[in-house]
Amino acid sequence: MQSVPRKILFIKVSAVGDILRAVPALIAVRKHFPAAHIAWMIGEEYLEIIEHCPHIQEIIPYRRRKNLEDLSGFVKFILGIRKRNFDLVINLQNTKRFDLIGRLSGAGFRTPVVNFPQPVSGLEGVFEIIRRAGIDACDEKFELWATPEDREFAERFLERHNIAPNERVVGINPGTNWETKQWKLENYTEVANKLVDSFGVKILIFGSDAERNRAEKIACMMRTKPTIAAGETTLRQAGCLIERCCLFITNDSGLMHFASLSGVQTAAIFGATDPQSDGPTGSGHLVFSSKSVCPPCYKSVCRLKNNQLICLRSIMPEHVFEKLTEHIKEKLNG
């Protein structure tokens, strides 16, 4: 790139975990081009995550369209992009569809679609893409752009559920949109019960409103009543509550990335996805994945006969608890 860009289009439209892992890249872009006008194109369902970001001047909501559905709407959207006169397009979505948007934007420079020869972490992946724009980045800094109201909500929520500031809180996130990522609720319950019995922690169960039933089932099976946050929070409010946790046990999910990027000790259960590319960010986290013959299949439904889910069923709760005890006993007892 020959000149300093005046206007930058930053593209990352989905999903929660990938958007969160793009945050350090955005911060690096802002540091490299402190005077540039930066617009972030993001899926309209994820606006909440970045609406209070101090590093951007504009948010461009993106509505997903299948194939040529609403072609006139797509053309109108592209014309709106062209009118903004971007100099640089950073395509962190890293797909041909969004490369096309970059080409149609009229920008003089755009990052190419990068084909990685082997799995890389999500964070290293976005850093490699912005390096194509001449931005050298390796900092794993993350920011949660929560409002004072979000943080006050978290404080009041804990007070309302009798969780004192000095009490140790373990977050559990049993929900996710794929059944091939969902560790059995009985397994989460067993680990939670043992953590309560061994360390006297308070259990806080996370998830969306659609996942609240999973949280309630765990609560019914636990010997000591946990606190359910599932369905009670926005994403930013959930992020504020996660920051209060000393440990976060989770399926592969967006909230897993909230926890690990925020520096919260994370224990992640992996089934159909690859922890090498999709796992927690940073050091000190624990990953539990299958030793079965199944490689990461990235299928939302198990394709084996009788829906065996070998990948998840081979991860035993007693093993998870044992490893948690080995790695975090000092933290929990501190």
Side-chain angles (χ1 to χ4, degrees):
M1 191 165 52
Q2 299 299 317
S3 59
V4 176
R6 297 175 300 103
K7 300 189 72 175
I8 300 171
L9 177 60
F10 189 87
I11 301 178
K12 191 63 182 176
V13 301
S14 65
V16 173
D18 292 330
I19 291 169
L20 294 174
R21 289 186 292 179
V23 168
L26 173 71
I27 295 171
V29 171
R30 170 52 71 204
K31 286 181 178 178
H32 197 80
F33 300 119
H37 174 104
I38 300 178
W40 187 326
M41 183 193 298
I42 188 171
E44 56 189 7
E45 64 269 44
Y46 304 113
L47 294 178
E48 174 202 343
I49 300 174
I50 68 166
E51 63 180 332
H52 297 290
C53 171
H55 307 299
I56 58 177
Q57 284 69 48
E58 184 181 7
I59 296 174
I60 302 176
Y62 175 80
R63 182 170 65 83
R64 190 180 302 276
R65 297 171 172 86
K66 295 182 179 179
N67 300 322
L68 295 179
E69 172 192 324
D70 188 20
L71 180 58
S72 63
F74 180 73
V75 170
K76 184 178 179 180
F77 178 81
I78 292 298
L79 290 175
I81 295 294
R82 289 185 67 87
K83 286 179 181 178
R84 289 171 166 86
N85 296 315
F86 290 111
D87 306 298
L88 167 63
V89 175
I90 297 177
N91 174 19
L92 290 190
Q93 203 64 23
N94 201 39
T95 64
K96 291 182 179 179
R97 175 184 294 236
F98 291 95
D99 184 57
L100 174 63
I101 290 177
R103 291 172 183 272
L104 295 174
S105 73
F109 186 88
R110 63 187 184 278
T111 57
V113 174
V114 179
N115 296 311
F116 297 101
Q118 58 188 17
V120 297
S121 74
L123 200 58
E124 179 54 35
V126 297
F127 284 164
E128 180 58 33
I129 292 169
I130 67 173
R131 289 185 190 115
R132 305 303 172 96
I135 303 167
D136 190 20
C138 59
D139 186 2
E140 296 184 359
K141 182 180 179 183
F142 172 75
E143 297 174 0
L144 170 61
W145 300 307
T147 65
E149 291 76 19
D150 294 326
R151 298 199 178 280
E152 182 178 1
F153 168 88
E155 290 179 11
R156 298 290 176 263
F157 182 89
L158 295 172
E159 287 177 4
R160 191 164 66 250
H161 292 280
N162 300 311
I163 299 177
N166 63 335
E167 288 188 287
R168 296 159 301 191
V169 178
V170 171
I172 289 182
N173 179 43
T176 183
N177 55 345
W178 290 7
E179 71 171 34
T180 52
K181 295 182 182 181
Q182 294 176 357
W183 205 37
K184 289 177 63 175
L185 300 183
E186 292 81 0
N187 293 342
Y188 276 109
T189 303
E190 182 176 335
V191 172
N193 278 331
K194 288 181 176 180
L195 287 170
V196 172
D197 293 345
S198 300
F199 302 106
V201 299
K202 293 291 185 71
I203 300 295
L204 183 55
I205 308 180
F206 290 81
S208 66
D209 187 54
E211 296 161 348
R212 186 176 176 89
N213 67 319
R214 295 178 64 80
E216 290 175 342
K217 288 177 181 178
I218 291 176
C220 288
M221 291 187 284
M222 285 191 63
R223 294 188 290 270
T224 301
K225 185 179 178 181
T227 297
I228 296 178
E232 301 287 333
T233 70
T234 64
L235 279 171
R236 293 199 310 267
Q237 290 167 350
C240 293
L241 287 172
I242 288 170
E243 289 179 338
R244 176 64 176 78
C245 297
C246 64
L247 169 66
F248 196 71
I249 309 171
T250 177
N251 294 326
D252 174 17
S253 62
L255 292 189
M256 176 193 74
H257 294 293
F258 256 128
S260 64
L261 285 162
S262 298
V264 175
Q265 175 89 55
T266 302
I269 312 294
F270 271 77
T273 52
D274 188 349
Q276 188 171 347
S277 56
D278 301 311
T281 299
S283 60
H285 305 299
L286 291 174
V287 171
F288 300 91
S289 59
S290 173
K291 300 298 188 294
S292 72
V293 294
C294 288
C297 66
Y298 285 90
K299 303 296 184 184
S300 60
V301 178
C302 184
R303 302 301 176 89
L304 296 179
K305 185 178 180 180
N306 299 323
N307 193 29
Q308 295 178 55
L309 284 172
I310 293 174
C311 56
L312 287 170
R313 291 179 181 173
S314 64
I315 303 172
M316 306 308 294
E318 55 269 25
H319 173 69
V320 171
F321 177 72
E322 177 186 348
K323 291 298 180 182
L324 287 176
T325 301
E326 289 176 7
H327 286 264
I328 63 168
K329 191 170 184 178
E330 181 178 346
K331 180 184 287 288
L332 288 172
N333 282 328

